[in-house]
Amino acid sequence: MTVVLHVLEALEGGTARHVSDLVRHVQDVTHHVAVPQHRVGGTTDTLAVPEMEALGATVHRVDMRRAPASPHNTSALLVLRRLVRRLRPDVVHGHSAVGGALARMAAADAPTRRLYTPNGLHPSVVAMNVERGLGSLTHALVAVSASEAAAAAVRGLAPPDRVVTIPNGIDLTAPADGGDRPPVDVRHLLGLPAAGPIVGFVGRLVPQKAPELVIEAAALVHRERPGAATVLIGSGPREQALRALVGRRGLTGSVHLIPYLPRAALVMDQFDVLFLPSLYEGCPYTVLEAMRARTPVVLSDAVGNRDLVTDGVSGRLVRQGHPDDAAAALLDVLDDPGAARGRAEAALVHLTEHHDIRRTAAATGELYTRST
């Protein structure tokens, strides 16, 4: 049985989802998972660890922080080195920037394969220099989209023959409602009228996701469609600034923030369109879930987003940082729902062909057992 030690510092959002999915779906593997008790500076995914333990993974609590220079990460490195020596894993798989760095450094002298999944490459010069420095410790850099793989190769983060693309996948069947936790009715929760479209955003309220652009685009959409509502689901350090921006743009009553909504995938079909204006991505689960729900999508033409949509065929792609372009695309969806439904059906075909979790799990399992 192959033994894999996963290391993840960002116990939230897509990264926690990614590791949980690997534990659930990659078979014939003994999974160990090193994660912090809490996601300091963000919202902790409280469901991830119990789910991984229920699936048979052994969870090791290691105090890691998202801030790379945190002294907690120095202590974490020592703990992880001891863990590697004790477990003797066949594979150490680091996830996200800090988890990826700590995993590879902790296993640098061990006879184990070192894998790294960024789930979104931070484009800053400092981040790229650090990633390049860790390239010699990387047996495989696992990109979750083709554009992320291309970015990694162009920037020299690992030799081209060590960059592997395994797109994120999801269960293609509709998500269960959790039994005693039925889906939230967004209109009822926010007191929205029965008529009028809803533009949705689901994600962390951080600069990477460009949530300010959602509000700027909402102001332009509101001029043409006063009855349209915009709903942002997520929390993060930009929340208060975003609420202030809503007030300055005169959008109180039209733009709504829901800081925390467990199982947000269950409300995707309540949106008329999902808007994700990110600066960069890996392969966003939010978009995959919208596609499964047949919800039309408008995405920034960013790394990780552009792989999911052919503009005008399976969704809309818009220039990054341009609220005018975004608003025009959103209005295009709202004004022609027939065409939008056609694009959503095409997106569902793309999802089925390229983002089945069974395919992701099989490819990852093969990578785990590949000889060095």
Side-chain angles (χ1 to χ4, degrees), residues 315-329:
R316 293 299 313 275
L317 284 177
V318 298
R319 292 184 298 166
Q320 294 174 258
H322 288 265
D324 290 355
D325 287 7

Side-chain angles (χ1 to χ4, degrees), residues 26-241:
V26 179
Q27 303 299 312
D28 301 321
V29 167
T30 299
H31 293 278
H32 291 262
V33 184
V35 292
Q37 189 73 32
H38 303 287
R39 164 68 169 95
V40 176
T43 301
T44 302
D45 184 340
T46 58
L47 303 177
V49 167
E51 179 180 290
M52 287 187 275
E53 290 178 326
L55 292 168
T58 302
V59 175
H60 308 267
R61 294 295 194 174
V62 180
D63 188 12
M64 296 173 276
R65 301 295 170 87
R66 187 71 164 170
S70 170
H72 293 274
N73 290 334
T74 302
S75 301
L77 179 58
L78 299 176
V79 173
L80 288 169
R81 281 176 175 164
R82 290 195 293 270
L83 191 58
V84 169
R85 286 197 296 269
R86 178 164 64 85
L87 296 177
R88 299 180 181 274
D90 300 290
V91 176
V92 174
H93 191 168
H95 304 266
S96 194
V98 172
L102 291 173
R104 286 174 286 175
M105 290 189 291
D109 298 325
T112 181
R113 298 193 71 225
R114 296 177 293 274
L115 274 55
Y116 170 44
T117 299
N119 260 309
L121 287 166
H122 196 293
S124 75
V125 173
V126 173
M128 288 299 100
N129 286 339
V130 171
E131 295 285 10
R132 274 189 287 271
L134 291 167
S136 62
L137 299 178
T138 309
H139 289 105
L141 188 154
V142 186
V144 294
S145 61
S147 59
E148 185 178 59
V154 166
R155 292 165 178 167
L157 306 190
D161 62 344
R162 294 189 180 186
V163 178
V164 180
T165 304
I166 303 178
N168 282 344
I170 63 173
D171 187 335
L172 300 180
T173 60
D177 63 10
D180 59 347
R181 293 176 297 171
V184 169
D185 184 321
V186 172
R187 290 185 188 274
H188 178 75
L189 177 68
L190 299 174
L192 301 178
I198 299 177
V199 177
F201 164 92
V202 179
R204 294 175 294 123
L205 304 182
V206 296
Q208 175 200 346
K209 302 292 184 178
E212 289 85 357
L213 196 72
V214 178
I215 296 170
E216 298 292 359
L220 298 172
V221 169
H222 187 68
R223 294 177 190 173
E224 303 295 326
R225 297 289 294 268
T230 297
V231 176
L232 294 89
I233 299 175
S235 62
R238 302 298 299 158
E239 182 177 342
Q240 293 308 312

Side-chain angles (χ1 to χ4, degrees), residues 19 24 64 89 98-99 118 140 150-151 153 183 278 296 343:
V19 176
R24 178 183 296 276
M64 296 173 276
V98 172
S278 312
R343 291 193 290 265

